[in-house]
Amino acid sequence: RKKWHKTFAKKRIAETVNGVAISRNKDRQLFVLPEPIEDPVRLMNSLTSIVASCKYCGMEKYSEILAYEKRLSESNNDARLDLDSVTCLSRANFQIFEMYKENLKNGVYPPIEVVYDENIGFLVKSLAAMRKHTILTEYVGESTTVDQTGNTSSDSLMNLLQTGDDSTSLIIDPSRIGNMARFFSGINNRNLMSKKKANVRTRRFSVKVENSSHNQCRVVLFTARDVKPGEILHYDYNAGIEGKSVGEIVRTGFYDTSNFL
């Protein structure tokens, strides 16, 4: 039995079918919920590929929630401290994002598969067509300060909070805890043809923390355009530095992508 999701009954942005929220959104500026994989075999292959890849990389725990190292807590993730103005999602987009997270709890994951290439490493491949702005994942892992990442060998760090101080700026490190976000490929910023491969975008946004006076930074990955089945998903690891001074780039960090294809 189908019923329109109460929040968007008038706009018909989403409906709930058998307990799963499905987008019925015609506004190209809003997020889109990934449609569930209906074929049980393909679904099992998708989920197995994610779990196997995480285990291969030595991850101790799969999680869809930000974790914090022992000396830190959510209170350290204060969006007011960020050098940039990290804005909130629109009310509609945030509610769609919450529906996405609820779908995950019900076992509904985006139609992707993690594959291994001997020459490149892990890649994420689309298993179905996806509309522009389809949510793929939240970038999660263990939140730590920049000054604690100096000796890490991880190639999957993501900026979370940029305060200008390495002792308070936060980085997401999925080495031990995380999800499939770490397997999405980067592009070569120095190669025009490589830049054209970018079909995924990242966005930092802030959300209200319950029983707190401040907002918390989060990072979401979503499709930058319509994606076809079989496409490898790429995004710019250095997105957001355009227009910044050399000093700002040095302070916030630049990921060397010269070896990317």
Side-chain angles (χ1 to χ4, degrees):
R1 183 182 177 184
K2 297 182 180 181
K3 61 178 180 179
W4 294 114
H5 194 281
K6 292 180 180 179
T7 308
F8 298 115
K10 294 181 180 180
K11 294 184 178 181
R12 291 192 173 185
I13 292 179
E15 67 172 329
T16 302
V17 181
N18 297 325
V20 177
I22 297 177
S23 287
R24 292 293 181 260
N25 168 31
K26 295 183 179 180
D27 187 340
R28 296 284 287 182
Q29 300 305 311
L30 294 180
F31 282 149
V32 177
L33 294 167
E35 295 190 6
I37 303 173
E38 296 183 353
D39 182 351
V41 175
R42 296 182 70 196
L43 174 60
M44 183 57 65
N45 288 340
S46 172
L47 297 180
T48 300
S49 73
I50 296 172
V51 173
S53 302
C54 290
K55 286 187 175 181
Y56 182 88
C57 292
M59 294 172 66
E60 299 172 11
K61 180 181 178 182
Y62 184 92
S63 177
E64 290 290 347
I65 302 174
L66 273 176
Y68 293 86
E69 65 167 328
K70 292 181 180 180
R71 65 189 184 90
L72 300 177
S73 68
E74 288 188 347
S75 63
N76 296 96
N77 185 2
D78 186 344
R80 296 174 302 182
L81 303 177
D82 203 279
L83 295 176
D84 295 325
S85 178
V86 183
T87 59
C88 296
L89 294 176
S90 67
R91 179 173 177 271
N93 264 340
F94 181 64
Q95 291 183 343
I96 294 172
F97 177 75
E98 285 189 312
M99 289 185 215
Y100 166 80
K101 301 294 276 190
E102 192 63 30
N103 276 352
L104 289 179
K105 293 178 182 178
N106 292 324
V108 179
Y109 283 74
I112 61 95
E113 182 179 17
V114 182
V115 297
Y116 184 78
D117 183 285
E118 291 183 355
N119 298 315
I120 301 174
F122 286 104
L123 306 168
V124 179
K125 180 176 69 174
S126 169
L127 294 178
M130 289 185 280
R131 291 164 53 191
K132 182 180 179 181
H133 292 165
T134 296
I135 298 175
L136 296 169
T137 187
E138 178 181 2
Y139 205 106
V140 299
E142 192 171 25
S143 300
T144 186
T145 52
V146 171
D147 61 1
Q148 294 296 311
T149 62
N151 297 321
T152 182
S153 60
S154 174
D155 60 355
S156 305
L157 303 179
M158 171 66 74
N159 284 323
L160 179 64
L161 181 71
Q162 301 172 357
T163 68
D165 182 346
D166 286 355
S167 66
T168 56
S169 292
L170 298 180
I171 293 287
I172 302 173
D173 184 353
S175 299
R176 297 192 313 114
I177 303 170
N179 61 7
M180 81 279 282
R182 66 176 296 177
F183 300 114
F184 285 79
S185 303
I187 60 168
N188 187 335
N189 293 96
R190 303 178 183 180
N191 186 302
L192 181 59
M193 294 304 295
S194 182
K195 286 184 177 182
K196 291 181 178 180
K197 294 180 181 179
N199 49 14
V200 173
R201 286 181 57 194
T202 63
R203 178 179 173 182
R204 282 195 310 144
F205 64 96
S206 65
V207 297
K208 179 66 177 176
V209 181
E210 189 176 354
N211 300 322
S212 175
S213 61
H214 70 269
N215 283 14
Q216 182 185 94
C217 290
R218 308 272 285 275
V219 182
V220 63
L221 276 67
F222 57 95
T223 56
R225 57 168 173 78
D226 291 347
V227 171
K228 298 177 181 178
E231 282 194 61
I232 301 300
L233 302 176
H234 298 81
Y235 72 99
D236 186 354
Y237 287 2
N238 294 303
I241 67 170
E242 298 84 357
K244 289 189 175 183
S245 67
V246 173
E248 289 174 315
I249 293 174
V250 170
R251 185 172 60 246
T252 59
F254 179 84
Y255 195 98
D256 184 10
T257 59
S258 59
N259 63 321
F260 290 4
L261 299 177

